[in-house]
Amino acid sequence: MDQLIIQGQHSLSGSVKISGAKNAVLPIMTAALMAEGESIITRVPDLRDTRTMIKLMEIVGARCSFKDNHLKIDASTVNNPEAPYDLVKTMRASFYVLGPLLARFGTVKVSLPGGCAWGPRPVDFHLKGLEKLGAKITLNSGYILAEAKRLKGAKINFEFPSVGATGNIAMAAVTAEGTTVIENAAREPEIVQLCKYLNQMGALISGIGTSRIIIDGVESLHSANIDVIPDRIEAGTFLMAGALLGKITLTDVNPDHLDSVLLKLKEAGSSIETTSNSITIEPGHLKAVDMSTAVYPGFATDLQAQWIALMSLAKGSSMATDTVYHDRFSHTPELNRLGANIKVENNTAFIRGVKELVGAPVMSTDIRASASLIIAGLVARGTTIVSRIYHIDRGYERIEEKFEALGAKIFRDKTSG
Ligand code: UD1
């Protein structure tokens, strides 16, 4: 198992190019399964999760080729609408095949994802939504079987604007008979891009980017090409590091997707300048600021762990509340091992800023927790060793190379047991 070894307190400078968004490309790949023909997706980040999704594409029968961030998916040969447990358990986003394969084949079998490090993470909204569209859902030996000759448009009102359920139901509904209205839909940029891609494929979706999405069913979709949007979570991660360690510029980024993060960083003392596709951050006097995650356009839960690493070194005390995932705090005991002073009660972390962090061995527990430990290690005195970094490889493309190019002392040790 690889680990990252970080010599802390080296300042950062220069520029870093942001990769394509993991959470955008994964549903886009499953959408490509809905059309017979070849789709080309560009700016695909080379991540463990992308590779897992490619494996899943191949299991269902698609032909894929992936090189230099270009992914070709030929879905003409898809013939096996089934997502096995082995893949779904390593990547919950595999569940995104449910809607598209049901729509195309009238039947699909997908392993039920279990819980995860952040709590139970149910899929009831996905299933209730599909039932509303007329699917018969049965659960057998840990697998969900969904069947419907042709889905029928319906009105679906989500209890919570779930990203995954909005994507899955939108994909299922595009070829349903009649009109589907999704109320309380997710408005995340990744869902916006998915819906735009479906429209490029011939779907008729309106209200994209609002909480009311209207889908007029069409008979079939055709293949289409797309360039993936920049990863706002990777961008946010580099911004938190810049706020602690030096003036850096993020390129190939969309600042509009990071409004609430940029606002919080400014409140905390950083100077920020943006152009249409770049963000420059310069550290200032770091102040403690309260933060609460929320669905888009609020502060992303996927940046909560990195924000807590930042606030660990701010002057004063602050609270960080996660309203999306109430149990997502497994990084805090690890940050405390580096000298942070964080207590968690219910879904709020109480952070008392400390003068410095001191390097120690720490363990990643999930993708974003790993990112927060890397930020903390980069700013800590001495050496930090981050183990179980397969988590970081799921969601960040060459993170250590990108930080190294900015001046950090970080390297991957492939020899550890
Ligand atoms: C996606 C992102 C993940 C991000 C999350 C929230 C991908 C691949 N993953 O996950 O990185 O942290 O959005 O922005 O894009 N819920 C239910 N029932 C359901 C579905 C969701 O109760 O059927 C709840 C969840 O437990 C959670 C909330 O709704 O509390 C939001 O989850 P959701 O938006 O669905 O997250 P994901 O799509 O799984």
Side-chain angles (χ1 to χ4, degrees):
M1 259 193 261
D2 297 1
Q3 52 187 23
L4 285 177
I5 300 181
I6 306 169
Q7 299 289 342
Q9 295 194 332
H10 290 274
S11 54
L12 303 182
S13 64
S15 69
V16 57
K17 188 172 165 181
I18 299 305
S19 300
K22 169 178 91 72
N23 288 351
V25 76
L26 298 177
I28 284 172
M29 288 166 72
T30 65
L33 294 178
M34 295 185 71
E36 285 195 27
E38 185 177 271
S39 305
I40 299 176
I41 311 172
T42 48
R43 207 188 197 205
V44 175
D46 192 351
L47 306 168
R48 186 185 283 252
D49 274 11
T50 321
R51 301 258 172 194
T52 304
M53 191 59 101
I54 290 173
K55 215 183 276 173
L56 181 52
M57 303 279 101
E58 288 169 346
I59 286 174
V60 300
R63 279 197 294 249
C64 300
S65 80
F66 184 37
K67 201 171 170 231
D68 300 333
N69 301 105
H70 280 51
L71 174 64
K72 269 190 215 161
I73 301 176
D74 181 353
S76 336
T77 47
V78 173
N79 58 1
N80 175 36
E82 179 168 339
Y85 176 61
D86 277 355
L87 287 188
V88 181
K89 77 172 184 210
T90 59
M91 187 185 69
R92 297 175 56 84
S94 315
F95 209 66
Y96 268 129
V97 296
L98 187 68
L101 291 179
L102 175 62
R104 182 163 163 192
F105 293 98
T107 175
V108 61
K109 195 175 159 193
V110 178
S111 169
L112 190 62
C116 82
W118 335 331
R121 295 190 78 183
V123 287
D124 52 328
F125 303 160
H126 303 239
L127 303 183
K128 280 185 210 156
L130 288 181
E131 276 177 337
K132 278 248 163 102
L133 295 177
K136 184 174 159 242
I137 309 272
T138 42
L139 178 66
N140 192 1
S141 305
Y143 277 80
I144 288 158
L145 179 67
E147 292 165 297
K149 250 198 176 137
R150 184 169 179 200
L151 295 166
K152 286 205 168 58
K155 190 164 176 178
I156 293 162
N157 194 342
F158 287 131
E159 273 166 58
F160 187 92
S162 155
V163 173
T166 303
N168 237 334
I169 297 304
M171 290 189 277
V174 285
T175 54
E177 192 185 325
T179 301
T180 298
V181 179
I182 306 178
E183 301 277 6
N184 206 17
R187 295 190 289 151
E188 270 67 7
E190 295 76 18
I191 291 298
V192 168
Q193 187 169 43
L194 172 66
C195 291
K196 286 184 178 167
Y197 180 55
L198 289 166
N199 277 355
Q200 265 177 260
M201 297 174 78
L204 290 174
I205 308 179
S206 56
I208 298 175
T210 74
S211 50
R212 187 166 196 263
I213 296 178
I214 301 151
I215 303 167
D216 289 312
V218 295
E219 287 294 325
S220 63
L221 300 184
H222 53 81
S223 59
N225 303 336
I226 191 160
D227 191 52
V228 178
I229 54 169
D231 195 315
R232 63 195 168 101
I233 308 302
E234 186 199 18
T237 302
F238 279 98
L239 288 172
M240 310 288 173
L244 286 164
L245 283 157
K247 183 174 176 181
I248 58 171
T249 297
L250 280 52
T251 63
D252 288 51
V253 65
N254 186 341
D256 293 345
H257 293 166
L258 284 146
D259 274 350
S260 48
V261 174
L262 297 181
L263 218 61
K264 279 288 162 198
L265 285 166
K266 281 183 198 163
E267 233 185 288
S270 299
S271 305
I272 289 174
E273 276 174 35
T274 59
T275 68
S276 61
N277 61 358
S278 77
I279 305 174
T280 299
I281 183 161
E282 189 169 1
H285 182 66
L286 187 60
K287 290 193 292 279
V289 170
D290 293 341
M291 184 281 293
S292 187
T293 69
V295 296
Y296 191 82
F299 194 104
T301 171
D302 284 350
L303 285 169
Q304 177 257 100
Q306 301 87 319
W307 174 260
I308 289 182
L310 175 67
M311 284 298 108
S312 295
L313 285 154
K315 188 166 166 43
S317 296
S318 63
M319 295 191 289
T321 301
D322 202 317
T323 67
V324 180
Y325 285 105
H326 295 185
D327 298 322
R328 196 177 190 181
F329 290 101
S330 57
H331 43 286
T332 59
E334 298 300 306
L335 289 171
N336 284 345
R337 285 180 50 73
L338 298 171
N341 183 344
I342 309 163
K343 287 196 178 75
V344 176
E345 265 175 48
N346 302 317
N347 63 334
T348 300
F350 296 86
I351 310 146
R352 187 167 291 196
V354 295
K355 286 226 157 63
E356 71 166 1
L357 298 177
V358 182
V362 287
M363 200 171 75
S364 303
T365 46
D366 71 56
I367 307 177
R368 310 304 170 187
S370 321
S372 92
L373 295 177
I374 292 175
I375 294 171
L378 290 172
V379 77
R381 175 163 56 83
T383 305
T384 297
I385 300 172
V386 187
S387 58
R388 297 205 182 166
I389 55 159
Y390 51 85
H391 291 295
I392 199 95
D393 294 332
R394 287 189 52 196
Y396 288 84
E397 194 176 33
R398 299 178 289 102
I399 192 166
E400 73 275 22
E401 286 175 33
K402 289 190 181 188
F403 271 121
E404 208 179 6
L406 291 171
K409 296 280 172 270
I410 174 169
F411 79 94
R412 181 179 292 253
D413 174 13
K414 290 180 186 275
T415 57
S416 60

